Amino acid sequence: MDSLITAAARALAAGDPLGALKRVALRDDAPALALRGIAMARLGDFTRAKELLRRARRAFGPREAIARARCVVAEAEIALVSRDLSFPRKSLAAARATLAARGDALNAAHAGYLEIRRLLLIGSLDAAERMLDDLDPAPFPPALRVGHELVVAGIAMRRLRTKPAREALARAKDAARRAGIAELAAEVESTARLLATPAARLIARGHERPLLLEEVEVLMASKALVVDACRYVVRDSRTTVSLTRRPVLFALARALGEAWPQDVSRGTLIVRAFRGKHADESHRARLRVEIGRLRRALLPLADLSATPDGFVLEPHGRREVTVLALPVEEEHAAVLAFLADGEAWSSSALSVALGASQRTVQRALDALAATGKVESVGRARARRWMTPPVPGFTTTLLLPAPLPNG
Amino acid sequence: MKKSEAEIIREYAFEGVESVGGVSFDGEQVWFAAGGRLVAFDPDSGNTTRTLDIAAHAGTAFDGKHLYQIAEDRILKIEPNSGRVVSTIPSPGGGRDSGLAWAEGSLWVGQYRDRMIVQVDPETGKVLRTIESNRFVTGVSWVDGELWHGTWEEDQSDIRRIDPQNGEVMERLEMPQGVFVSGLESDGKDRFFCGSGSTNNKVRAIRRPKRSRA
């Protein structure tokens, strides 16, 4: 490396991105562009950082494969932190292979974690777990180890396994202390707080109360028949009936679950399932059809009996019936659930993460914005959405040094 | 052109040193640029003998009396005993400079990505001439009328002797893969000393090829 690049890289490593920028601000050669990109990322200007790193990647020569690959990894990390999930996975995988082949095991592993975190973020738990199995965290320095344990904890929490989540968080806390990076420690703390924050709401026998993740895990392992409004399924510890694609049937099941062991009148069921204000004859006919369908769907778990007034749920065996709902129920709860991570999301990233169309997401965001529940920054494609400031939950950048250290 | 593998004779490791930039030799001690300071050590014992708190980002040279050190976009002239900066001149590459050598009353400055070596007047910084290379230039050294420089381009480094008139490569000592050269200086005898960038904290001694004198 040359003199000013060395000086700028030293400033960056010492936590002085402005000092680094000062030294290379007027230079447009590849290493200078890369350093400027990393410095801008450290200063939080992700749009500019991505642009600079893209230019750096193109400016590095064909024989500078390591430097180029590190630029790709840095670009991917910035994309992930700014919730731009459209970053091409193939480039990241190729960069990872290049780094591994050329002996940069550390940055290759870092690239792997970025891919896993992306999978986790979009809810591809199986794929994330498979990739995680291929990584042995033992040789990694503490900072990378924190990332590893957070991913392990993240998967465990989404799989409702609180004990392994707690253990991973304890290891992450230890690694963060050894790394001595305050932001990492804060990230571990905020993840740990999720275990102490209600993850769902329990509605049973007409009463409701918040549930911690651990309690959800206990409930799922119990004999109870659970009408799960977080996942749109009806289940017990052995059998799961998915009603994801049958919202009317789920609305009926939920109404019956909330009232259990009481019955629910036809009128109420019609209002809950069809949102009709008055129950006329055609509604009654339709209700009969839908109840028939629900009865068949729930056959492995419960019976549905007619009462003089309406219907009642009768679970097989002597089971309790409970309804599990999101902690805060809104019309656009799923959108809010993603935004609750405190990051700024683009509507296209939300649409990828939610598996919903951009139009649907945009309508939800507009509705939420109208009531002040979400805010946006930026314009056009750079527009990002977030919930009004909540404490914590940063995603710390562990950007690779872009240069092969000449 | 002669080509051979570089023979690494000895490695000197230094605790608390993150990167090794320029390397020089004052007749007794080897000096190297360690980012925020200049470090001198005895090449026989490997013990550190001096440390000067001076910004040292790239090449280092010695003219028999003063040390020269590239820091940011300047070349500092340093009194070795006191560590006092006697004077400064702008570096010819404006900060894109890497290696530094002293010979025949001139400073020879490697321009890393520009792939060239520039001869400058040490008093004024005036550029006297430039020599092209075809690889990124790291350290630069003159010994017995031979101009040597280190290269580093991605996965491969070498130390090469070039014709100072036209830049033609006369001889190459190839470094093992993954072993990089930053600074370069000879002890005037049978050794070269070179740095290792920020890939580790080592200075290496490499055997200088013997010559049959005409």
Side-chain angles (χ1 to χ4, degrees):
Chain A
M1 282 194 291
D2 65 45
S3 180
L4 269 183
I5 293 292
T6 306
R10 281 178 57 81
L12 204 51
D16 177 16
L18 289 172
L21 279 177
K22 191 184 81 186
R23 289 171 172 90
V24 290
L26 299 176
R27 284 177 52 167
D28 276 341
D29 54 303
L33 287 169
L35 277 171
R36 284 166 59 193
I38 300 287
M40 292 313 286
R42 292 245 178 271
L43 293 169
D45 186 344
F46 296 148
T47 311
R48 184 94 185 104
K50 271 192 286 191
E51 172 60 23
L52 286 162
L53 282 162
R54 189 159 47 230
R55 283 171 62 196
R57 165 162 54 80
R58 289 177 184 152
F60 277 118
R63 282 189 290 185
E64 297 175 275
I66 294 179
R68 299 179 107 167
R70 288 182 183 173
C71 284
V72 172
V73 174
E75 279 178 77
E77 183 166 13
I78 292 164
L80 183 73
V81 170
S82 51
R83 296 297 185 261
D84 172 10
L85 301 182
S86 63
F87 187 85
R89 276 170 294 163
K90 276 184 186 163
S91 322
L92 184 57
R96 186 176 169 218
T98 301
L99 292 167
R102 305 208 175 210
D104 188 353
L106 213 62
N107 282 314
H110 187 47
Y113 285 120
L114 294 179
E115 181 59 12
I116 295 172
R117 275 170 57 192
R118 181 186 177 281
L119 290 169
L120 196 55
L121 204 57
I122 63 172
S124 301
L125 295 185
D126 291 337
E129 243 170 358
R130 272 197 304 277
M131 270 197 80
L132 199 61
D133 282 345
D134 292 338
L135 282 169
D136 172 17
F140 300 147
L144 210 51
R145 188 67 191 259
V146 176
H148 174 88
E149 299 298 353
L150 281 178
V151 169
V152 171
I155 291 177
M157 283 161 75
R158 280 162 184 75
R159 292 241 191 258
L160 292 177
R161 293 191 300 246
T162 47
K163 187 164 174 282
R166 259 179 229 292
E167 288 163 356
L169 282 168
R171 291 192 299 269
K173 195 174 173 183
D174 180 50
R177 200 182 49 240
R178 279 184 288 132
I181 302 173
E183 291 94 328
L184 275 182
E187 190 164 347
V188 175
E189 278 296 309
S190 65
T191 309
R193 258 202 304 279
L194 294 178
L195 286 175
T197 309
R201 217 157 26 104
L202 180 80
I203 308 168
R205 294 178 181 265
H207 294 282
E208 56 175 90
R209 66 181 180 88
L211 279 194
L212 297 178
L213 198 65
E214 203 157 20
E215 297 173 300
V216 175
E217 185 182 8
V218 170
L219 175 67
M220 291 302 186
S222 75
K223 283 184 174 173
L225 182 76
V226 180
V227 181
D228 182 349
C230 304
R231 292 169 196 79
Y232 275 55
V233 299
V234 181
R235 48 161 291 166
D236 64 14
S237 57
R238 278 177 309 206
T239 312
T240 300
V241 172
S242 172
L243 298 175
T244 319
R245 291 176 190 285
R246 307 173 83 175
V248 171
L249 297 195
F250 186 81
L252 290 172
R254 178 168 176 178
L256 291 163
E258 285 179 10
W260 186 89
Q262 309 297 322
D263 65 345
V264 185
S265 74
R266 286 182 179 80
T268 305
L269 287 172
I270 285 167
V271 171
R272 292 284 296 264
F274 311 139
R275 296 174 193 255
K277 290 198 171 69
H278 305 288
D280 61 24
E281 264 317 303
S282 70
H283 279 126
R284 284 174 182 275
R286 202 178 146 203
L287 179 65
R288 270 195 300 279
V289 173
E290 299 291 358
I291 286 286
R293 286 176 178 156
L294 182 62
R295 184 177 282 133
R296 275 195 300 281
L298 294 186
L299 219 51
L301 295 166
D303 292 322
L304 243 177
S305 305
T307 61
D309 237 6
F311 296 92
V312 67
L313 199 57
E314 291 179 335
H316 300 326
R318 288 189 183 167
R319 295 171 194 282
E320 285 282 313
V321 176
T322 54
V323 173
L324 195 67
L326 290 169
V328 180
E329 259 179 316
E330 304 253 1
E331 205 175 343
H332 307 295
V335 172
L336 277 178
F338 276 94
L339 292 175
D341 73 357
E343 294 298 333
W345 287 74
S346 68
S347 61
S348 60
L350 279 171
S351 129
V352 173
L354 286 162
S357 77
Q358 284 236 43
R359 283 180 69 96
T360 305
V361 169
Q362 197 55 53
R363 268 198 298 273
L365 287 169
D366 289 341
L368 288 166
T371 52
K373 294 197 172 81
V374 299
E375 293 173 353
S376 71
V377 292
R379 282 170 183 280
R381 287 184 56 189
R383 194 166 200 193
R384 293 292 179 272
W385 295 86
M386 63 195 84
T387 48
V390 282
F393 220 98
T394 55
T395 305
T396 310
L397 284 163
L398 296 172
L399 295 162
L403 312 169
N405 311 319
Chain B
M1 184 198 63
K2 279 198 280 185
K3 191 172 93 173
S4 56
E5 283 176 20
E7 187 192 338
I8 299 171
I9 311 166
R10 188 167 172 184
E11 292 190 332
Y12 307 90
F14 298 90
E15 286 296 317
V17 169
E18 282 165 20
S19 69
V20 179
V23 176
S24 194
F25 184 68
D26 67 6
E28 288 174 16
Q29 313 165 93
V30 177
W31 290 84
F32 67 89
R37 62 210 152 105
L38 267 164
V39 179
F41 69 94
D42 175 352
D44 294 326
S45 70
N47 293 334
T48 302
T49 46
R50 292 290 308 280
T51 301
L52 300 179
D53 286 326
I54 284 174
H57 301 129
T60 314
F62 183 69
D63 68 359
K65 196 174 170 196
H66 289 100
L67 286 166
Y68 293 84
Q69 177 60 51
I70 302 175
E72 302 205 356
D73 56 354
R74 318 283 295 170
I75 300 176
L76 316 177
K77 185 177 181 179
I78 301 153
E79 210 279 306
N81 286 326
S82 63
R84 196 167 64 89
V85 176
V86 182
S87 64
T88 69
I89 53 171
S91 66
R96 297 194 310 280
D97 319 85
S98 51
L100 189 63
W102 168 273
E104 307 298 327
S106 291
L107 284 171
W108 303 75
V109 192
Q111 306 292 297
Y112 185 56
R113 295 183 76 83
D114 299 335
R115 300 184 174 93
M116 62 186 193
I117 296 166
V118 183
Q119 181 188 3
V120 302
D121 182 322
E123 296 303 319
T124 62
K126 186 179 170 231
V127 173
L128 304 174
R129 72 178 167 123
T130 63
I131 302 165
E132 307 271 328
S133 174
N134 59 4
R135 299 248 303 170
F136 292 167
V137 176
T138 62
V140 182
S141 181
W142 276 94
V143 51
D144 292 343
E146 299 173 356
L147 177 57
W148 289 80
H149 77 83
T151 78
W152 182 339
E153 211 156 323
E154 187 65 358
D155 281 350
Q156 191 62 46
S157 266
D158 64 19
I159 296 171
R160 51 178 60 187
R161 178 162 66 89
I162 62 171
D163 184 329
Q165 298 308 317
N166 57 21
E168 190 196 327
V169 183
M170 323 272 286
E171 185 170 0
R172 286 177 51 198
L173 308 179
E174 284 196 333
M175 298 296 280
Q177 184 155 27
V179 177
F180 301 123
V181 172
S182 50
L184 180 71
E185 186 65 286
S186 110
D187 64 356
K189 296 178 204 144
D190 58 353
R191 283 180 297 187
F192 281 119
F193 296 106
C194 61
S196 53
S198 49
T199 50
N200 58 33
N201 57 353
K202 287 191 173 75
V203 173
R204 296 190 174 90
I206 288 168
R207 191 172 310 285
R208 186 181 149 218
K210 285 197 171 64
R211 299 253 180 277
S212 51
R213 304 220 171 236

